[in-house]
Amino acid sequence: MLKIVSAEFIKGAINSKLFPQTGIPEFAFFGRSNAGKSSLINMLLNRKNLVKTGSKPGMTREINFFAVNAPANKQPNAESFCVADLPGYGFAKTGGKNRDLWSRFIGDYIQTSKRLVLLCLLVDLRHPGLYLDGEAYAWL
């Protein structure tokens, strides 16, 4: 079992020049707005309010990066990995211009990050088989 010693917000970014240069592996979570990405990250990191969640879909508007210290070799203050919370796709109430911007910087991150080692596509099982989820899967 992995023991999370600490987890903290690093920064939010909307282009590759602003992505943090941590040098540690990154695990990213992608999915439809309101699929529970932020809630899942909070649960996995055993933190109630580390990742902001909202009652309205589409609250995450940039890629939010979190440093997680869970050292396997018990070195204090050693950042073990980074978690990236990506904006959701789907029914966030925003204009087409914002959706296009989100698509570009999410695509840029997924396709160019040298530290991204795992990308999790979350699908809300209450709404299986949605066209947008299929599109996201095909794109990935």
Side-chain angles (χ1 to χ4, degrees):
M1 181 156 138
L2 189 64
K3 180 175 167 112
I4 306 294
V5 175
S6 66
E8 64 183 3
F9 176 73
I10 301 173
K11 71 186 302 185
I14 59 167
N15 70 52
S16 58
K17 291 178 179 143
L18 299 174
F19 296 158
Q21 302 301 313
T22 62
I24 55 178
E26 295 172 356
F27 302 92
F29 292 84
F30 183 55
R32 206 165 57 92
S33 297
N34 213 31
K37 297 177 298 298
S38 300
S39 296
L40 176 64
I41 294 169
N42 279 333
M43 190 268 310
L44 291 173
L45 299 181
N46 198 27
R47 301 295 187 273
K48 290 185 188 227
N49 298 309
L50 176 66
V51 183
K52 303 271 188 289
T53 59
S55 58
K56 295 179 186 174
M59 298 303 289
T60 304
R61 297 181 180 253
E62 55 191 9
I63 301 174
N64 290 314
F65 295 90
F66 301 87
V68 181
N69 180 4
N73 57 6
K74 302 195 187 240
Q75 290 180 337
N77 302 319
E79 293 178 346
S80 298
F81 58 92
C82 182
V83 172
D85 184 17
L86 280 64
Y89 55 85
F91 62 108
K93 294 202 188 304
T94 187
K97 194 177 203 180
N98 278 342
R99 275 194 290 273
D100 291 344
L101 172 66
W102 292 355
S103 295
R104 277 194 302 277
F105 74 78
I106 292 168
D108 185 35
Y109 171 71
I110 291 171
Q111 294 172 8
T112 65
S113 175
K114 292 179 176 35
R115 292 167 302 285
L116 181 61
V117 296
L118 179 69
L119 176 63
C120 300
L121 174 62
L122 271 65
V123 176
D124 188 340
L125 291 178
R126 298 171 298 179
H127 309 286
L130 291 178
Y131 176 78
L132 283 174
D133 289 329
E135 286 284 301
Y137 179 77
W139 178 74
L140 291 174

